[in-house]
Amino acid sequence: MEIRILKKEKCEKDVIEHSIAVRNKAMEIAKCFDNVNLDIIEQGALLHDLGRSKTHNIHHAIEGAKIARKYGYCEEVINIIERHIGAGISEEESEKMGLPKKSYVPITIEEKIVAHSDNLVSGTQEVDINFVIEKWERKIENPEKEIRKLKELNELLIESFKE
């Protein structure tokens, strides 16, 4: 169903392939947790970049949430789409970035799993946290706070399950 929506909304092939790879990573991470909603994770992961059918800037999260509402998705999926950017954007940061003023920080475990899975997939390839850190150091001005949030997500979702 979600793939059909991505196609209907005219998402580019590489966005669809990326979304499938993020879904695969999210489902892999989700297996480490009890009591997560796998359906919500799968839907949210597949639709997280739905807004890229309208824009490729940071506003794609807002646009994607609007489109998902149009299709009648539940708030849990819409929140994943809206809160998947990076390791989360605070209300203060959102205003500076020109987004509607509110928190875009992932709250539920499902939101955190999808957001971090998106961080750990570049195109269709899985990458490790060091790759993401190096990329953010090149792209983000004063990336320390964002990298700290990224490491916290990684600790919660990945490192704590390594033996």
Side-chain angles (χ1 to χ4, degrees):
M1 173 71 168
E2 287 72 34
I3 301 296
R4 278 188 271 153
I5 290 172
L6 293 170
K7 289 179 179 178
K8 183 176 181 181
E9 292 297 321
K10 298 183 176 30
C11 284
E12 297 167 356
K13 183 180 179 203
D14 63 331
V15 170
I16 295 171
E17 290 171 350
H18 168 73
S19 297
I20 292 168
V22 169
R23 186 262 324 262
N24 294 343
K25 183 65 178 175
M27 299 307 281
E28 175 189 324
I29 293 171
K31 289 178 189 173
C32 297
F33 291 86
D34 295 327
N35 302 318
V36 295
N37 189 321
L38 296 175
D39 289 335
I40 296 295
I41 292 170
E42 183 169 32
Q43 291 171 19
L46 285 170
L47 296 174
H48 79 281
D49 275 348
L50 176 60
R52 290 199 183 273
S53 63
K54 306 288 183 219
T55 181
H56 282 277
N57 66 30
I58 198 164
H59 290 87
H60 78 275
I62 308 300
E63 293 300 321
K66 286 180 193 173
I67 298 167
R69 273 191 188 88
K70 177 178 86 173
Y71 284 98
Y73 278 92
C74 65
E75 283 304 307
E76 290 92 343
V77 171
I78 291 166
N79 288 338
I80 287 172
I81 296 167
E82 204 170 63
R83 298 176 183 161
H84 82 274
I85 305 167
I89 298 171
S90 71
E91 184 172 336
E92 178 184 322
E93 293 165 326
S94 71
E95 194 171 34
K96 292 176 186 173
M97 299 172 107
L99 294 168
K101 185 178 178 181
K102 65 187 259 185
S103 174
Y104 298 89
V105 175
I107 297 169
T108 67
I109 192 66
E110 290 85 358
E111 292 169 18
K112 292 174 182 180
I113 288 170
V114 174
H116 199 49
S117 296
D118 187 35
N119 292 331
L120 297 177
V121 174
S122 179
T124 59
Q125 300 299 309
E126 283 191 34
V127 296
D128 67 14
I129 190 170
N130 294 319
F131 177 92
V132 181
I133 289 169
E134 290 171 16
K135 180 172 89 172
W136 287 12
E137 286 174 335
R138 289 190 309 272
K139 287 186 166 189
I140 301 172
E141 188 176 321
N142 302 318
E144 296 78 19
K145 185 177 179 184
E146 298 306 313
I147 289 171
R148 181 182 46 75
K149 290 190 296 187
L150 174 72
K151 287 179 178 179
E152 288 170 3
L153 265 181
N154 197 66
E155 177 62 31
L156 172 70
L157 300 174
I158 308 292
E159 294 299 320
S160 60
F161 289 97
K162 287 187 176 175
E163 298 176 325

